[in-house]
Amino acid sequence: MTGNGVRRYRAAVVGAGGIARGSHLPALAAHGDRVGVESIVDIDAVRAAAVAAEWRVPHHGTDLSTMLAACRPELVVVCTPPGQHLPAIEASLAAGAWVWCEKPPTLSLADYDRAATGERSGGPYASFVFQHRFGSAARHVRGLVGAGALGRPLVAVCNTLWYRDQAYFDVPWRGRWDTEGGGPTMGHGIHQFDLMLHLLGDWAEVRAVARRLDRDVEAEDVSAAVVTMASGAVVTVVNSVLSPREESYLRFDFQRATVEVSHLYGYDNGDWRFTPRPGVGGGLWPPGEDVRGSHAVQLSALLDAMDRGQRPAASGPDGRRSLELAAGIYQSSATDMVVRRAELVPGNPFYERMRGAS
């Protein structure tokens, strides 16, 4: 506890690359009254030492197990490449630490379910970085949907149109099934369709294509899907790293209004547009506050959940849904068939691996 009665947690960051330095360490510093970083772990000892010195972290090292035993963190922030997520989650949960892990959560649904076996009622829990759902505009839209103020969702668009050159994929773990779990469907678009699912609810079936068009990678560099939601709404989803004019764009057409957001890696209220149907009265927009969808705002919600000993958002079934859609997209593309969410269970090759049995 701090002097004002606020509980302050011991944290460790595993992986000292760009996402840790650019997003997670600043988010942790922004909540310095509630969480303190005690250790940096990275397989590169020089990098771990340099990042620890830069952020005034007292301990650093190269071995996760050694750190867990020595520092006994209450929160472990996993910023490694995706192929290392599962062992880091398992070890941290076994040590009694809550986990906040970068996307994609794991390389497969089987790995996600395996990680969940380390959770315990009241914590620790593993949660995942889907920060876009935590901004004020997204929370406001979710509230309107829940209250029925917008009517039924009918049509939606969910586009991740980004650009990554070949040099980006020359990093050995990128664009490979065994280390990244796939291409932009897993590593890029998952942020946007997590927000789409957060606002529209469960999906029911998907028909998709995933292709390798212009990058020298093992997995896809573009995918496209038509998703039917449990509500009956129809959504088109495009995930690309081939798009020179980059945009993250979501559009939701409800019975009573169209809601859109256009941004790249994060939004505030000004990036959203609300168009009511003719005859629909005002008062639904704008939101009452303007909070950017960011790592810092998701971390605040996670710390609140830790205080309460409750499962945080973007964990458990709530964190699994986006990974299910990625698996459905890959299965549909590989089999040229409609895939139903209910099919993605043990025994299905695409439950075990995103590339299936191939």
Side-chain angles (χ1 to χ4, degrees):
M1 292 285 187
T2 63
N4 61 5
V6 175
R7 182 167 181 181
R8 191 169 190 264
Y9 296 98
R10 299 184 308 276
V13 175
V14 182
I19 194 65
R21 299 192 308 272
S23 297
H24 286 279
L25 285 164
L28 289 157
H31 294 286
D33 60 330
R34 302 182 67 188
V35 61
V37 181
E38 297 293 323
S39 182
I40 302 287
V41 178
D42 194 279
I43 59 172
D44 184 330
V46 173
R47 181 164 62 185
V51 173
E54 178 185 358
W55 289 90
R56 300 181 180 179
V57 175
H59 305 286
H60 60 84
T62 60
D63 183 73
L64 174 58
S65 296
T66 300
M67 181 277 293
L68 290 170
C71 296
R72 301 183 63 82
E74 296 160 288
L75 172 64
V76 174
V77 182
V78 179
C79 303
T80 66
Q84 295 304 309
H85 287 182
L86 177 61
I89 294 169
E90 289 185 310
S92 300
L93 291 173
W98 294 53
V99 175
W100 190 31
C101 179
E102 262 297 335
K103 54 78 187 167
T106 57
L107 298 185
S108 70
L109 290 168
D111 285 353
Y112 190 97
D113 292 345
R114 175 179 163 185
T117 64
E119 297 179 332
R120 298 292 181 267
S121 178
Y125 295 107
S127 61
F128 302 95
V129 176
F130 289 124
Q131 74 273 22
H132 293 323
R133 60 162 81 179
F134 292 89
S136 55
R139 288 189 282 110
H140 184 70
V141 174
R142 183 172 166 86
L144 294 175
V145 172
L150 302 179
R152 289 190 296 111
L154 302 174
V155 180
V157 175
C158 180
N159 289 345
T160 302
L161 304 172
W162 293 0
Y163 186 83
R164 298 291 185 269
D165 62 15
Q166 186 58 49
Y168 173 87
F169 289 103
D170 289 341
V171 174
W173 58 266
R174 288 185 175 141
R176 290 172 47 188
W177 294 107
D178 63 339
T179 52
E180 194 170 20
T185 310
M186 283 281 275
H188 305 84
I190 197 169
H191 270 310
Q192 267 57 248
F193 59 75
D194 175 78
L195 178 54
M196 180 271 290
L197 294 168
H198 181 64
L199 296 179
L200 298 187
D202 290 338
W203 65 279
E205 61 182 40
V206 59
R207 178 179 286 280
V209 296
R211 297 289 184 265
R212 184 171 60 250
L213 299 180
D214 200 54
R215 299 290 180 268
D216 184 14
V217 291
E218 184 181 51
E220 87 284 3
D221 53 22
V222 64
S223 67
V226 177
V227 182
T228 302
M229 306 300 292
S231 67
V234 176
V235 184
T236 61
V237 178
V238 177
N239 308 296
S240 166
V241 288
L242 306 178
S243 306
R245 188 184 75 78
E246 296 185 282
E247 182 181 34
S248 303
Y249 175 71
L250 294 96
R251 172 177 174 144
F252 306 96
D253 292 329
F254 297 90
Q255 288 176 309
R256 305 187 69 205
T258 292
V259 183
E260 301 166 87
V261 58
S262 175
H263 67 106
L264 190 51
Y265 303 133
Y267 63 79
D268 54 29
N269 287 0
D271 297 310
W272 290 71
R273 182 177 180 182
F274 185 89
T275 307
R277 187 190 70 194
V280 172
L284 298 179
W285 201 263
E289 58 179 348
D290 192 353
V291 176
R292 186 174 178 82
S294 68
H295 287 70
V297 70
Q298 182 175 357
L299 176 59
S300 178
L302 172 57
L303 294 171
D304 289 345
M306 292 178 69
D307 287 345
R308 297 189 300 265
Q310 294 178 349
R311 177 177 290 284
S315 73
D318 184 43
R320 191 180 191 273
R321 189 161 49 184
S322 296
L323 202 63
E324 289 175 329
L325 182 54
I329 289 171
Y330 286 128
Q331 180 175 344
S332 178
S333 175
T335 61
D336 195 28
M337 296 178 65
V338 172
V339 174
R340 292 168 179 80
R341 184 184 178 204
E343 299 173 26
L344 295 166
V345 296
N348 181 335
F350 291 88
Y351 170 87
E352 306 296 337
R353 297 196 305 170
M354 290 292 169
R355 69 184 304 178
S358 61

